[in-house]
Amino acid sequence: MRGGLWQLGQSITRRLGQSDKKTIARRCYASEADLKKTVLYDFHVAHGGKMVPFAGWSMPIQYKDSIMESTLNCRENGSLFDVSHMCGLSLKGKDSVAFLEKLVVADVAGLAPGTGSLTVFTNEKGGAIDDSVITKVTDDHIYLVVNAGCRDKDLAHIEEHMKAFKAKGGDVGWHIYDERSLLALQGPLAGPTLQYLTKEDLSKMYFGEFRIIDINGSKCFLTRTGYTGEDGFEISVPSENAVDLAKAILEKSEGKVRLTGLGARDSLRLEAGLCLYGNDMEQHITPVEAGLTWAIGKRRRAEGGFLGAEVILKQIADGPAIRRVGLFSAGPPARSHSEIQNESGESIGEVTSGGFSPCLKKNIAMGYVKSGLHKPGTKVKIAIRGKTYEGSITKMPFVATKYYKPT
């Protein structure tokens, strides 16, 4: 759900399918000089990071480990990702909740202070502008993180509606945290490793919770969340302290938590069945079609009040025309835009993300098919480079999630 498909250098694109290369060409900047760098750029290079263009930034695709090795190590031990290219911001003011509820499907008012949820920004047709993790810090303060590739359109969208809201007397303002960096610590050792660096009892902090605490000597925004299906945290840290925090995390784990790039991040999120905006979600796909009906609060279903509510609530009542599904397949891994066919060879949909699962040692993918043909166990064929291969629809996640929750 978070970020975008990795943008690889020439040496790595040779491993990818044609659809991936087209995605890269579409999203890469024309010149290396145009790319922005996070404060951890030199740290990545010093640790063997292979830097590639991604959403306008120079980011590590992998380090000395292969993408398969990095994926497995995250599930077995832990990974540290630099996700500072993503955009963190706060909405503040007594009407900040009411304002945000006009733009997203979540029941923001119903969140307890210090808790958050995945949500979707929608347009007038019910399509997804972006997905985001939002947190109600207090009743008049909302913290959220939006995807790097959607930053410009998201901020323009929020600003446009904020101006209209404030013109009618609404009390809301915002702050964009360009002075902060964002690290994602994921895997079984995430909690034990981070505990060395804070006095806060992390065993009492559950999935989806948010706190502002001291970590390694600096004031951080800590959310127990992530994009891998594993337990973990996203840490918003003042940029001047980001490198020291990364070093401390790696040192305290005694080498078991490793720096991990965007290649393994994509494998991990696919195994967890999580949407990738720009592939599995776009402006013509609604949250209902994407299988995110659960993110639409019960009160919001009853009251509406968000952009595209009429379309979305009708789909909840009547069912959508298409649905997102998981897929297993034979042959080469399915890639974005591979056609999905029924057993008679008729087109019923297309793949949006796919690859080889390092954990399952088999091909996995997700995509959209016509409603009624989406049930697990349904046999399909997937067309790849002019040939069709046997496949079947399956439940997601492909790899069981391990989010930290009360026992």
Side-chain angles (χ1 to χ4, degrees):
M1 232 163 274
R2 317 286 301 285
L5 186 66
W6 62 72
Q7 316 303 315
L8 306 181
Q10 192 62 33
S11 63
I12 299 182
T13 60
R14 286 196 290 268
R15 305 178 194 176
L16 302 178
Q18 290 300 315
S19 62
D20 294 312
K21 293 179 184 177
K22 290 177 181 177
T23 301
I24 292 163
R26 193 167 61 244
R27 296 190 185 176
C28 282
Y29 273 31
S31 167
E32 189 74 21
D34 293 325
L35 298 174
K36 292 177 281 188
K37 297 178 180 179
T38 75
V39 297
L40 288 153
Y41 177 88
D42 291 337
F43 185 72
H44 296 313
V45 173
H47 284 77
K50 297 180 180 178
M51 310 304 290
V52 299
F54 174 74
W57 294 77
S58 183
M59 299 295 291
I61 181 66
Q62 67 181 94
Y63 296 85
K64 296 176 183 178
D65 292 352
S66 68
I67 290 174
M68 181 173 290
E69 290 169 336
S70 293
T71 302
L72 294 173
N73 186 68
C74 182
R75 301 254 185 252
E76 294 167 4
N77 296 299
S79 288
L80 180 64
F81 303 90
D82 178 10
V83 290
S84 304
H85 58 310
M86 298 178 72
C87 179
L89 64 137
S90 281
L91 298 173
K92 293 185 177 182
K94 66 180 180 63
D95 298 321
S96 56
V97 170
F99 167 69
L100 186 58
E101 285 198 343
K102 292 181 177 295
L103 306 184
V104 303
V105 300
D107 181 359
V108 186
L111 291 172
T115 66
S117 174
L118 173 75
T119 195
V120 178
F121 282 86
T122 52
N123 58 32
E124 289 79 358
K125 295 181 179 180
I129 292 175
D130 197 4
D131 60 339
S132 173
V133 172
I134 61 168
T135 301
K136 182 195 278 187
V137 183
T138 63
D139 287 334
D140 59 1
H141 179 192
I142 309 297
Y143 173 69
L144 58 151
V145 178
V146 300
N147 288 314
C150 298
R151 174 185 169 126
D152 290 346
K153 73 171 181 178
D154 287 357
L155 295 185
H157 176 74
I158 294 170
E159 185 174 31
E160 177 189 355
H161 286 274
M162 186 184 296
K163 286 180 178 178
F165 187 80
K166 293 174 73 171
K168 295 179 180 179
D171 177 25
V172 63
W174 65 349
H175 178 79
I176 301 165
Y177 292 106
D178 287 334
E179 75 280 10
R180 286 182 166 266
S181 296
L182 192 63
L183 302 179
L185 177 60
Q186 299 283 289
L189 296 183
T193 300
L194 197 61
Q195 189 64 74
Y196 285 117
L197 303 176
T198 182
K199 295 179 180 179
E200 193 85 6
D201 184 357
L202 299 181
S203 70
K204 296 179 180 178
M205 184 177 182
Y206 300 115
F207 180 76
E209 291 191 0
F210 171 94
R211 294 181 186 176
I212 299 177
I213 63 173
D214 182 279
I215 301 175
N216 199 45
S218 61
K219 185 178 180 180
C220 295
F221 304 162
L222 184 67
T223 310
R224 197 154 201 161
T225 187
Y227 193 48
T228 64
E230 297 293 322
D231 179 30
F233 304 87
E234 288 188 357
I235 312 163
S236 174
V237 56
S239 289
E240 63 268 24
N241 304 122
V243 173
D244 286 343
L245 178 56
K247 288 178 179 177
I249 289 170
L250 298 178
E251 179 184 336
K252 291 299 183 181
S253 75
E254 299 180 338
K256 291 182 180 179
V257 171
R258 300 177 191 169
L259 285 170
T260 308
L262 297 175
R265 186 170 167 84
D266 199 67
S267 296
L268 290 157
R269 72 92 195 166
L270 181 57
E271 289 183 336
L274 300 175
C275 288
L276 171 68
Y277 192 87
N279 279 43
D280 311 302
M281 289 181 69
E282 295 193 60
Q283 298 208 47
H284 63 280
I285 298 292
T286 72
V288 181
E289 293 166 341
L292 299 177
T293 304
W294 59 267
I296 306 171
K298 183 178 180 181
R299 178 178 61 83
R300 307 310 308 278
R301 299 185 200 189
E303 298 177 2
F306 51 88
L307 292 175
E310 183 178 340
V311 174
I312 290 171
L313 299 182
K314 188 175 190 306
Q315 286 187 347
I316 292 175
D318 301 341
I322 58 173
R323 296 176 186 264
R324 182 169 64 96
V325 297
L327 298 152
F328 289 131
S329 65
R335 300 295 185 183
S336 180
H337 302 303
S338 295
E339 184 180 61
I340 304 171
Q341 303 173 352
N342 63 18
E343 290 187 286
S344 300
E346 298 169 326
S347 178
I348 61 170
E350 72 171 22
V351 171
T352 52
S353 291
F356 181 78
S357 165
C359 293
L360 301 180
K361 303 296 189 292
K362 61 179 12 176
N363 297 333
I364 59 174
M366 66 175 76
Y368 287 84
V369 299
K370 295 176 181 178
S371 262
L373 303 175
H374 63 282
K375 295 181 180 179
T378 301
K379 300 297 182 184
V380 297
K381 294 180 180 180
I382 300 179
I384 304 172
R385 295 192 290 276
K387 295 183 179 180
T388 58
Y389 299 88
E390 298 298 320
S392 61
I393 291 173
T394 186
K395 292 182 179 179
M396 293 185 288
F398 300 99
V399 175
T401 57
K402 301 172 186 174
Y403 302 129
Y404 189 74
K405 297 180 179 180
T407 55

